Amino acid sequence: MSKLSILSAAALLATSLGANATITQLFAPGEMATSFVNDFETTINAGPATFNAGTQLFSACGAASCVTPSGTQGLLSASFPDSIVATLSGGYQSVGMYFGNDDRCCSAVFDAVLSVYSGATLLGSVSVTANMNDHADQFIGLSSTVAFDKVEISYSGASLFNYIDDFRVGAPVPEPGTYALMLAGLLGVGLVARRRKA
């Protein structure tokens, strides 16, 4: 069996396992290997991400009491309770962002919910309870064992515009031993193939 056949077999196995994505919550940007970040200082749609119609660049002072992880503005949903949806031009395995505009003026305590999809199929979600200080100072993120091409963040039950900043996508940081396990698995497939051929 050729190296190409071994890699094809590994890809086929990964695809067959795709229906059962494992979602892991991420609590800080450092937990992911970021390949792209949009800080929303100059444009809404950049890199691999296109956001839903009606979203707008919005001042952090107007939405998050001037507190945001970078720059002076972020992305605001078109209205409430509209979510913010990013369609990605390719498959990614991790996503994260900061959220804010969680103000007690207009809502009781709520959860921000981050969901990922492969096409129309929901792969999974994570949530973070808003600290209700209005600042864009809470990070919400996840990694998935199955690549996703759509991301949605919503405020569950809140009468507030969604506000995010520093939207980032990438692959998850591998846990210690992950590469060794993957390599052992591929070598094992190669050894079995060679034995059969002999």
Side-chain angles (χ1 to χ4, degrees):
M1 183 181 262
S2 70
K3 288 180 184 176
L4 183 58
S5 298
I6 292 169
L7 292 176
S8 297
L12 183 60
L13 176 62
T15 303
S16 67
L17 297 174
N20 299 317
T22 299
I23 302 296
T24 302
Q25 185 153 10
L26 305 177
F27 298 96
E31 294 180 1
M32 59 185 287
T34 302
S35 60
F36 171 78
V37 180
N38 188 347
D39 62 8
F40 302 113
E41 291 305 304
T42 57
T43 186
I44 294 173
N45 300 318
T50 301
F51 289 88
N52 50 321
T55 54
Q56 57 184 302
L57 298 179
F58 203 83
S59 164
C61 289
S65 298
C66 299
V67 179
T68 200
S70 67
T72 61
Q73 58 188 18
L75 186 68
L76 193 73
S77 60
S79 63
F80 62 85
D82 290 356
S83 56
I84 294 176
V85 178
T87 302
L88 306 174
S89 59
Y92 289 84
Q93 287 188 277
S94 62
V95 61
M97 68 205 75
Y98 287 88
F99 71 93
N101 194 36
D102 48 346
D103 192 340
R104 288 187 184 275
C105 77
C106 312
S107 178
V109 176
F110 66 90
D111 288 341
V113 180
L114 178 63
S115 304
V116 290
Y117 300 80
S118 176
T121 303
L122 174 66
L123 298 178
S125 303
V126 297
S127 64
V128 172
T129 300
N131 61 18
M132 306 307 291
N133 68 359
D134 202 36
H135 303 163
D137 61 350
Q138 288 180 272
F139 184 84
I140 186 169
L142 63 79
S143 66
S144 171
T145 55
V146 176
F148 52 82
D149 55 16
K150 186 169 80 169
V151 175
E152 178 180 27
I153 184 165
S154 60
Y155 289 176
S156 179
S159 298
L160 292 164
F161 288 81
N162 291 215
Y163 179 83
I164 64 169
D165 200 3
D166 287 9
F167 175 89
R168 63 190 70 225
V169 291
V173 175
E175 294 179 9
T178 300
Y179 286 132
L181 288 172
M182 285 173 47
L183 182 58
L186 287 174
L187 288 175
V189 170
L191 289 174
V192 169
R194 283 187 180 175
R195 285 184 187 152
R196 287 184 180 163
K197 191 173 181 180

